[in-house]
Amino acid sequence: MSAAFYQNEVQFYVAVDCIILGFNKNELYVLLYKRKFEPLKGKWSLMGGFVKAGESINEAASRVLTECTGINELFMEQVGAYGDVTRDLGERVISVAYYSLVNMSEFQSKILKEHNAVWTKISELPTLIFDHEQMIKDTLSILKKKAATRPVGFNLLPEKFTLPQLQSLYEAIYQTSLDKRNFRKKLNSMDILEKLDEKDKKNSKRGAFFYTFNKEKYDKLLEDGFYFSL
Amino acid sequence: MSAAFYQNEVQFYVAVDCIILGFNKNELYVLLYKRKFEPLKGKWSLMGGFVKAGESINEAASRVLTECTGINELFMEQVGAYGDVTRDLGERVISVAYYSLVNMSEFQSKILKEHNAVWTKISELPTLIFDHEQMIKDTLSILKKKAATRPVGFNLLPEKFTLPQLQSLYEAIYQTSLDKRNFRKKLNSMDILEKLDEKDKKNSKRGAFFYTFNKEKYDKLLEDGFYFSL
DNA sequence: CCAAAAGTGTTCGAACTACACCCATGT
DNA sequence: ACATGGGTGTAGTTCGAACACTTTTGG
């Protein structure tokens, strides 16, 4: 046991809140659920939980993510710490927000039901408890910068995706429309995608070719000083 | 009084650590001090303190900054939360790091002495306690991105500065050397600096003109969709 | 045969890079 | 007079932005 060095200081509850983002049909989604305990039971909320003894805050976020998604080792990054005195209406809680990018199509509706969780369009957010709307806003702003310089967007897509899909993802992240030819030209010049023979015919009669992100190629390019940029 | 909603949960000490950066003669500095209490009393450390009851973490960081610098309303931004279980050797403490950019020439040595604080070159950091070196590393990486897109660098300079000074600041932040003519051309095209009649003769016989950052101009340009970039 | 999405190149202007010499002045 | 840092312009290249038509195929 360690000595009680800091016993004159105050302690706080520390929570993690997870902004779990998905993408489907030109829209970004966030996973929300109806809070299961007081205060504000039944209100819309981010997925979260308290940090437990013996668990780092990263581990806590990781645990909450696995509970909510059934998936281990998701892409996850810290958004920041939220520490206003009255941010939680119950007692004082300091929360550390994490965002995660997941492939919605892998999601089982079983897990959604277990948690009363609902994929909600970013453009149609209901009122959320506490500062959760701010957390989402901060996440989207981080994602904008991150997606421009790192290939994190692929986490939001299935293993196999089409170029129109990828483009509409970036349009959703940047909240703007992109030129098809310029977008493809840039991707082509980076040489980090593999074109498959298979086509996706869900969205057009002609069909669009599937691609995969080639992480090995990307990592090799990185070593040679290559910089991703979209 | 609020009800005890969360009484089954564990509480933690929460601290703030401040990465106070300065700039002088082509070098970035960070303010360090010798820790005044156990454990690791006497070791080099960032300026920090515990979050107190009734105080937001922003307020705590602000308070620590004011204590250490004697200046109110410094530029300050969150770096992130650090929550490894064993990061503090005393007891478990979760720390939120903030960085601040200050004008070293305004500093009174009186305040440094009071805290046993020393301006230390970033390039010559001693071994620091806990994860403080990581915090500094993270800060420098944030600063690189931030300084490229927002005029935060001016916080590190005196009110009046010269272009050679400004350039060497950016060279220190980016860890690279920049072309004098291209650097000036870019600044000129942004039209956010005011050239003064006065010259700084400290570094050359000829003297370099002083400039000031014109925040009003900058804010007006922002409204018109202007983007700072250096 | 037609609607609807996929795919494909070129041109123009802006922005970035590289580069070398004169200026002012204190000693 | 000279050493030291301050200040200035141009040419070449690269990169991003704008832009319209053909292809495929299920219905």
Side-chain angles (χ1 to χ4, degrees):
Chain A
M1 280 304 294
S2 54
F5 289 108
Y6 309 136
Q7 56 192 336
N8 295 327
E9 306 296 338
V10 188
Q11 292 189 313
F12 303 90
Y13 295 112
V14 178
V16 293
D17 284 303
C18 295
I19 298 94
I20 303 174
L21 296 179
F23 176 74
N24 191 242
K25 298 244 171 102
N26 314 332
E27 287 256 20
L28 284 171
Y29 287 75
V30 61
L31 197 59
L32 300 179
Y33 84 120
K34 295 216 172 178
R35 191 168 155 101
K36 292 190 190 123
F37 52 89
E38 293 295 348
L40 299 181
K41 185 172 171 178
K43 300 289 180 194
W44 288 109
S45 161
L46 289 169
M47 315 301 274
F50 285 92
V51 176
K52 304 201 180 304
E55 176 186 63
S56 74
I57 48 183
N58 273 313
E59 283 160 2
S62 202
R63 169 176 54 79
V64 169
L65 279 172
T66 304
E67 280 168 17
C68 300
T69 63
I71 311 171
N72 284 315
E73 311 256 337
L74 282 175
F75 172 86
M76 170 189 107
E77 227 174 58
Q78 194 184 112
V79 176
Y82 293 76
D84 280 357
V85 177
T86 57
R87 57 171 294 284
D88 190 307
L89 297 180
E91 297 178 71
R92 174 137 195 219
V93 178
I94 285 166
S95 177
V96 182
Y98 285 78
Y99 76 100
S100 180
L101 306 178
V102 313
N103 170 6
M104 273 174 73
S105 54
E106 265 184 25
F107 247 78
Q108 300 139 5
S109 57
K110 182 184 131 220
I111 287 179
L112 295 181
K113 271 184 199 150
E114 264 172 33
H115 291 83
N116 261 319
V118 181
W119 282 111
T120 313
K121 288 185 187 178
I122 288 288
S123 57
E124 298 171 5
L125 285 185
T127 299
L128 300 181
I129 63 165
F130 309 160
D131 45 11
H132 288 194
E133 289 175 49
Q134 184 63 43
M135 289 177 180
I136 293 176
K137 215 179 127 208
D138 293 343
T139 297
L140 293 174
S141 137
I142 289 173
L143 180 58
K144 258 191 213 183
K145 285 178 207 152
K146 192 84 186 177
T149 55
R150 293 288 142 86
V152 293
F154 301 106
N155 290 299
L156 287 162
L157 295 174
E159 186 70 20
K160 298 189 249 177
F161 53 86
T162 67
L163 293 187
Q165 238 183 321
L166 182 61
Q167 178 174 346
S168 94
L169 167 63
Y170 271 86
E171 289 176 334
I173 293 174
Y174 296 154
Q175 290 287 298
T176 183
S177 65
L178 300 171
D179 183 280
K180 203 166 34 162
R181 283 170 288 192
N182 294 336
F183 184 79
R184 283 159 183 260
K185 206 188 312 169
K186 219 164 175 181
L187 273 165
N188 233 309
S189 75
M190 284 196 274
D191 188 32
I192 52 175
L193 299 186
E194 297 299 335
K195 187 176 186 173
L196 306 182
D197 284 333
E198 222 176 325
K199 276 188 169 186
D200 175 17
K201 297 221 166 191
K202 268 198 284 297
N203 300 304
S204 74
K205 338 240 161 166
R206 181 177 178 176
F209 279 105
F210 276 119
Y211 288 76
T212 56
F213 172 62
N214 187 331
K215 179 137 175 39
E216 291 72 40
K217 254 190 194 172
Y218 172 74
D219 286 337
K220 205 161 292 171
L221 286 169
L222 264 192
E223 285 172 22
D224 302 344
F226 161 81
Y227 273 96
F228 179 89
S229 141
L230 256 183
Chain B
M1 281 306 294
S2 53
F5 288 107
Y6 309 135
Q7 54 193 335
N8 294 328
E9 305 297 339
V10 188
Q11 292 189 313
F12 302 90
Y13 295 112
V14 178
V16 293
D17 285 303
C18 296
I19 297 95
I20 304 174
L21 296 179
F23 176 73
N24 191 242
K25 298 245 171 102
N26 314 333
E27 287 256 23
L28 284 172
Y29 287 76
V30 62
L31 197 60
L32 300 178
Y33 85 119
K34 295 215 172 179
R35 191 167 155 103
K36 291 189 190 123
F37 51 90
E38 292 295 347
L40 298 182
K41 184 172 171 177
K43 300 288 179 195
W44 290 108
S45 161
L46 290 168
M47 316 301 275
F50 285 92
V51 176
K52 303 199 180 305
E55 176 186 64
S56 74
I57 47 183
N58 273 313
E59 283 160 2
S62 203
R63 168 176 55 78
V64 169
L65 279 172
T66 305
E67 282 168 16
C68 301
T69 64
I71 311 170
N72 285 314
E73 311 256 338
L74 282 175
F75 173 86
M76 170 189 107
E77 228 173 58
Q78 195 184 115
V79 176
Y82 293 76
D84 280 356
V85 177
T86 57
R87 57 171 294 283
D88 190 307
L89 297 180
E91 297 178 72
R92 174 137 196 217
V93 178
I94 285 166
S95 177
V96 182
Y98 285 79
Y99 75 100
S100 179
L101 305 178
V102 314
N103 170 6
M104 273 175 74
S105 55
E106 264 184 25
F107 248 78
Q108 300 139 7
S109 56
K110 183 184 129 219
I111 288 179
L112 296 181
K113 272 183 199 148
E114 263 172 33
H115 292 83
N116 262 318
V118 180
W119 282 111
T120 313
K121 288 185 185 176
I122 288 288
S123 57
E124 298 170 5
L125 285 186
T127 299
L128 301 181
I129 63 166
F130 308 160
D131 45 11
H132 287 193
E133 290 175 49
Q134 184 63 43
M135 290 177 179
I136 294 177
K137 214 179 129 207
D138 293 344
T139 297
L140 293 174
S141 137
I142 290 173
L143 179 58
K144 257 191 214 185
K145 285 179 207 151
K146 193 83 185 178
T149 54
R150 293 288 142 86
V152 294
F154 301 107
N155 290 299
L156 287 163
L157 295 174
E159 186 71 19
K160 299 189 247 178
F161 53 86
T162 67
L163 293 188
Q165 237 183 320
L166 183 61
Q167 179 175 345
S168 94
L169 167 62
Y170 271 87
E171 289 175 334
I173 293 174
Y174 296 153
Q175 290 287 298
T176 183
S177 66
L178 301 171
D179 182 281
K180 201 163 42 160
R181 284 170 287 192
N182 294 337
F183 184 79
R184 284 158 183 261
K185 206 189 310 170
K186 217 163 175 183
L187 273 164
N188 231 311
S189 75
M190 285 196 273
D191 189 31
I192 53 175
L193 299 186
E194 299 297 337
K195 187 176 188 174
L196 306 181
D197 284 332
E198 221 175 325
K199 276 188 168 186
D200 175 17
K201 297 223 167 187
K202 268 197 284 297
N203 300 304
S204 74
K205 337 239 162 172
R206 180 178 178 176
F209 279 105
F210 277 120
Y211 288 76
T212 55
F213 172 62
N214 188 331
K215 179 139 177 36
E216 291 72 40
K217 253 190 194 171
Y218 172 73
D219 286 338
K220 205 161 289 170
L221 285 169
L222 264 192
E223 285 173 22
D224 302 346
F226 160 82
Y227 273 95
F228 179 89
S229 140
L230 256 182

